[in-house]
Amino acid sequence: MSAPRTFSLTPGKRVLYLTKDPERIRRQLAGELTLRMTDLRPDELLDDINTDAMTPAWVCFDYDPAAIARNAYAGLIVNGQRLIPPDALAAGGFEVIVAGAQKGVGSSRETAAQCEVYGGSRLAIASSFAPIHARNNINIGQLMGDHTLIARLEAGEAVALDEFTRGHDAITALIIEAGGLLPFSAKLAKGEITVPPTGTTARPMNLTEKVLAHKLLPGQGEYVKPGDAVLVKVDAGYSHEFTSAQVHWFLAQEYGDDYRLKDPSKFAVFEDHLIYADGVPAMAKYSDKIEELRVRQREFAAKTGVRNFGAKDGVSPGICHQIAREQFIDPGDFVQATDSHTCMGGASGALSWGVGATEYAALAYWGFTPLAVPESIRFELTGALAPGVTAKDVMLYILANHAKREETLNRVMEFGGDGLFALSPDERATLANMATECSARGAIMEVDDVMLDWIAGHRPGVDRAALAAKVVRPDPGAHHDGGVHVIDLATIAPMVATPGNPDRGVASDPKNGALIAGLGRVKLNIAYGGSCTAGKRDDIDMYARVIAEAERAGKPIADGVRFFIQFGSTDVEDYARA
């Protein structure tokens, strides 16, 4: 259903003001207090409302947005108690929710927007929104406005839809007018709406732009630039058990229980995020919901025919983005998946980033997705790393010296240069994986014969010449809005991401890296080699070298230290045990 051409407040419905004074919130929920914007100053409203407060992780074990909405704002805790009790939004008849600045910071979870919409909200008001949260609102059809807008609505004005689309690119405006991404896609397929060509003429293009230009749907031209609103073909994607059930639910709701994917061979599901939750005592009370997520993912895979990387005998085949680069991501691909580290595919020369459940459902069904071409930032690597220095140190350097200044924010990180080619394919994957920690949009790298050999070596029978033909290279003179930054790898020193110091106002953030040489002695409780970025073959080799050196020096694992090694995939495990 399309959004109405005007928006006005519904008689009998209410507006909820999320004030810094919790008692005023409680009184609104109890029906004892009705506030208006004229009663408040913006600084009396809650700022920086985190998506984790809107839908804590345990709320996300439900896949039906209506069930999620029952626990909206379950993470707003005052004196050890939930400020907003279950079912409060729906029971209170709230159709507008008003907050302060930077609403929706934190994780990218789409459930934070869903908890409001499926609780009855039609309009979110704040002085500003975190970008990803704003996109999630747009995708599921919740309008957004500022404090001036709500004051006008409370004065009885009907606000034209044009005011909600103003300032957005052409496709985003059409999505808002359609009432969300899924209805937009359906209208587009029926020819009820059209997307105008970009009008961008011939120009040198960087890696990001060239990949997207190659994926343009017919009628949009041959060149793109940052900010262009385009429709692009998606080459590959995947979801996992935390998101597949909701993707399945959205598709059935929008297209009926007998929906089919146009090309399921391009997509996959992974059982990796919750595979070991059963062994965590704190998760025991959610075990039934977790198992239902697993079951529904299997149903989704069986129904659609997507590739199923499910667990066998309770053991996961590996981490989704590691297996994806091993088995099906090719150079030149455009990859979208419901995992924040989808960007790891950039090491293979594929433009890759993560998306929410609604966006993934739409692109899996239609095979294309709408987007505004993102800006890029290029890192030209030269030289070679010194012994004992790794790609993780390079990324910690970039985090501390570029991401901290927000140079990477919402931009695609592009990597090239002789220094890149001096790194192994696994080390390049570390660079791509950690674009997420840089708050980047995604990542992509130039590809050489070493990377092509690596990909072909993981896929017996693959046509290497066909892989080489897919490689995308930047044009001479291509522009990067974030600039080109030359990093001499020989100057990089070993670093660690510090845990921060809340007492001194230092957040726990990977941008707060520190040189190991300046740390002194630090007591360790747990030594863990693995994670989504450090469980590759090369990482295992590094751990083995350190352990071997320690054994030769007669240094056992220290008393009181627990030591773990985790493999990123069964391929890595087989390699380690060979």
Side-chain angles (χ1 to χ4, degrees), residues 202-265:
R203 60 187 292 272
M205 293 188 292
N206 56 45
L207 287 172
T208 301
E209 295 160 351
K210 287 194 80 170
V211 170
L212 293 176
H214 291 168
K215 310 301 176 185
L216 290 173
L217 296 194
Q220 296 182 92
E222 298 179 5
Y223 295 88
V224 299
K225 65 181 184 303
D228 282 351
V230 294
L231 297 172
V232 291
K233 173 191 170 191
V234 178
D235 295 296
Y238 50 90
S239 58
H240 49 74
E241 74 271 41
F242 226 145
T243 55
S244 295
Q246 193 166 82
V247 171
H248 185 25
W249 188 91
F250 278 135
L251 289 169
Q253 291 291 309
E254 187 70 21
Y255 306 116
D257 291 336
D258 60 348
Y259 77 87
R260 295 288 184 271
L261 302 187
K262 287 183 170 54
D263 188 359
S265 66

Side-chain angles (χ1 to χ4, degrees), residues 138-159:
I138 290 168
N139 284 341
I140 66 173
Q142 175 157 242
L143 299 175
M144 291 175 287
D146 59 18
H147 298 131
T148 302
L149 183 74
I150 186 60
R152 291 166 55 196
L153 290 167
E154 288 176 329
E157 186 176 341
V159 177

Side-chain angles (χ1 to χ4, degrees), residues 83 95 184 206:
L83 180 58
E95 69 172 354
F184 161 83
N206 56 45

